[in-house]
């Protein structure tokens, strides 16, 4: 919730509570609005007032745990989540929050156990399914990751994350038919969004339909002008079409947006070399060398540019 909207919500909720102080939902929304504004003391005051009015409601203890964890008071947050679970065994909101705490504190096994418990209680809990997919990815189990993502996909026909991640896995495995199914679902539910345009563009490139990808990627750059990924994808497509100057312009824009992206800077430097802009390539190579001195890529780019400019002495130093 943005600052202005949160302030307006707080004002309206204050009026509502003054009119009807017995509304649980109004108090809960008030605490959430205060929390979104980082008004931690006010949010906790609201939650404590609720607890006095509704002492048997586990959602309040869970809310208090959230308020504590947002302030990095993890031990206090855990106590509240455990209290909520004692009040209501199997309470999935509290289980999810405890799992997230376990993950934050580095206990992946405990986190996975709790996420699995949530799925046993609520098989279509998308948050738990996605969390299990992330844990599977981290452990290197691609098959298990895909299984969890497919379950998340089935549990929520509008869920974006499961579909985008599945799309990437299937595309990486060259299963373009399965990737196509996911793009169609995204276009049905999230037409014109950056994620949908990016997946369609990637698929068209993978299918070597480079000309068809052009308008899709142009639209992606329009709807997300500050997203470097769209410009990088467009640059790749231009390269496939042999449109080197267009690719360079896209890579330069991506570099302006995110100058710390190592891979993009390498691609831009190599493109500058192809177009015989050796001074630009050298500048980028030296920048890469400063940012990542142990990575040979920047030094090689610098050396190649210096060689092209017939500055052999400095080129040898760069390669060394």
């Amino acid at each position: 919730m943005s600052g202005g909207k949160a302030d307006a919500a707080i004002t309206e909720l204050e009026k509502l509570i003054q009119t009807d102080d017995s509304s649980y939902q109004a108090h809960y929304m008030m605490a959430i609005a205060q929390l979104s504004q980082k008004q931690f003391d006010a949010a906790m005051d609201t939650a404590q007032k609720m607890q006095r009015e509704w002492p048997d409601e586990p959602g309040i203890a869970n809310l208090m745990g959230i308020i504590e964890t947002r302030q990095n008071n993890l031990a206090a947050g855990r106590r509240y989540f455990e209290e909520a679970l004692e009040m209501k065994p199997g309470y999935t909101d509290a289980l999810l929050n405890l799992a997230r705490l376990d993950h934050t504190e580095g206990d992946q096994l405990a986190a996975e156990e709790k996420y699995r418990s949530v799925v046993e209680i609520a098989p279509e809990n998308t948050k738990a399914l996605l969390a299990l997919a992330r844990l599977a990815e981290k452990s290197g189990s691609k098959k298990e990751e895909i299984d969890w993502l497919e379950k998340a996909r089935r549990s929520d026909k509008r869920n974006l994350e499961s579909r985008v991640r599945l799309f990437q896995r299937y595309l990486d495995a060259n299963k373009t038919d399965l990737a196509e199914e996911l793009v169609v679902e995204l276009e049905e539910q999230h037409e014109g969004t950056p994620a949908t345009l990016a997946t369609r563009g990637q698929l068209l490139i993978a299918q070597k339909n480079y000309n068809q990808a052009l308008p899709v990627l142009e639209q992606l750059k329009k709807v997300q002008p500050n997203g470097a990924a769209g410009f990088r994808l467009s640059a790749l497509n231009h390269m496939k079409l042999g449109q080197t100057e267009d690719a360079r312009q896209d890579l330069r824009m991506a570099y302006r947006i995110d100058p710390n992206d190592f891979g993009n800077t390498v691609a831009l430097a190599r493109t500058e070399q192809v177009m015989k802009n050796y001074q630009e390539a050298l500048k980028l190579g030296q920048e890469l060398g400063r940012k990542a001195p142990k990575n040979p890529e920047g030094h090689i780019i610098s050396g190649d540019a210096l060689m092209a400019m017939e500055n052999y002495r400095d080129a040898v130093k760069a390669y060394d």
Side-chain angles (χ1 to χ4, degrees):
M1 190 183 295
S2 65
K5 289 182 178 179
D7 288 339
I10 290 171
T11 300
E12 289 302 313
L13 287 166
E14 285 174 345
K15 293 177 183 176
L16 180 60
I17 290 169
Q18 287 172 1
T19 304
D20 180 9
D21 195 41
S22 65
S23 171
Y24 175 89
Q25 192 63 28
H27 283 87
Y28 190 90
M29 290 172 64
M30 170 67 84
I32 293 297
Q34 291 166 332
L35 184 59
S36 73
Q37 292 293 87
K38 298 184 179 181
Q39 298 175 9
F40 300 119
D41 290 344
M44 185 59 81
D45 287 344
T46 300
Q48 288 171 342
K49 179 181 178 182
M50 292 173 68
Q51 197 172 50
R52 290 191 294 272
E53 293 293 324
W54 299 280
D56 299 323
E57 175 53 58
I60 300 169
N62 186 65
L63 172 61
M64 294 168 86
I66 293 170
I67 295 167
E68 291 290 3
T69 55
R70 290 284 178 86
Q71 300 173 83
N72 207 34
N73 299 329
L74 304 188
R78 184 178 293 277
R79 286 195 296 272
Y80 280 122
F81 296 142
E82 289 172 347
E83 179 184 328
L85 265 181
E86 288 175 10
M87 296 169 70
K88 184 180 178 181
Y91 181 32
T92 56
D93 286 357
L95 270 172
L96 280 169
N97 285 321
L98 283 169
R100 293 181 187 119
L101 272 183
D102 290 335
H103 182 80
T104 299
E105 294 175 344
D107 194 340
Q108 307 307 314
L109 288 176
E112 181 176 352
E113 182 181 343
K114 290 183 178 69
Y115 285 129
R116 287 181 180 274
S117 295
V118 172
V119 173
E120 287 176 11
I121 297 164
E124 295 191 346
N125 188 299
T126 309
K127 291 178 181 178
L129 293 168
L130 288 172
L132 286 164
R134 293 185 206 106
L135 290 175
E137 179 189 20
K138 191 173 183 180
S139 69
S141 178
K142 289 186 178 180
K143 183 182 182 303
E144 188 178 0
E145 179 196 4
I146 288 172
D147 287 344
W148 288 121
L149 288 172
E150 283 289 4
K151 288 177 181 177
R153 174 191 183 186
R154 292 192 295 271
S155 74
D156 183 354
K157 69 178 183 178
R158 287 188 53 80
N159 183 259
L160 189 68
E161 181 182 344
S162 61
R163 285 164 176 77
V164 171
R165 289 177 61 188
L166 275 171
F167 166 83
Q168 203 61 61
R169 296 296 170 268
Y170 289 143
L171 195 66
D172 291 345
N174 202 31
K175 297 179 179 179
T176 53
D177 54 337
L178 296 176
E180 175 76 44
E181 289 178 15
L182 288 154
V183 175
V184 170
E185 288 181 17
L186 286 166
E187 287 172 341
E188 288 173 350
Q189 299 295 333
H190 304 279
E191 183 180 5
T193 63
T196 300
L197 292 166
T199 53
R200 175 56 75 186
Q202 283 181 271
L203 182 61
L204 288 168
I205 292 171
Q207 294 169 331
K208 301 183 179 180
N209 295 323
Y210 308 126
N211 284 312
Q212 291 181 44
L214 283 171
V216 174
L217 297 173
E218 285 302 310
Q219 182 63 18
L220 172 60
K221 290 187 290 184
K222 285 180 183 177
V223 301
Q224 197 173 43
N226 296 318
F231 288 93
R232 288 196 296 269
L233 195 56
S234 179
L236 172 62
N237 191 58
H238 283 306
M239 281 292 191
K240 296 291 185 181
L241 286 166
Q243 299 168 346
T244 312
E245 174 58 27
D246 290 326
R248 181 177 68 156
Q249 294 303 322
D250 278 336
L251 289 169
R252 283 183 169 181
M253 182 60 72
Y255 176 76
R256 290 190 199 105
I257 294 168
D258 185 6
N260 294 317
D261 186 304
F262 191 89
N264 183 74
T265 308
V266 169
L268 176 57
R270 289 298 184 193
T271 304
E272 297 288 7
Q273 283 185 323
V274 168
M275 300 191 73
K276 298 183 180 181
N277 298 320
Y278 302 124
Q279 286 289 353
E280 286 298 318
L282 176 60
K283 184 169 67 175
L284 291 165
Q286 290 172 337
E287 179 185 325
L288 289 166
R290 289 192 299 273
K291 288 182 176 178
K294 293 184 179 180
N295 190 311
E297 194 74 48
H299 306 300
I300 293 170
I301 289 170
S302 297
D304 290 350
L306 289 163
M307 286 289 287
M309 291 186 289
E310 300 182 357
N311 187 343
Y312 304 120
R313 179 182 296 178
D314 288 343
V316 170
K317 291 179 182 177
Y319 289 136
D320 288 341

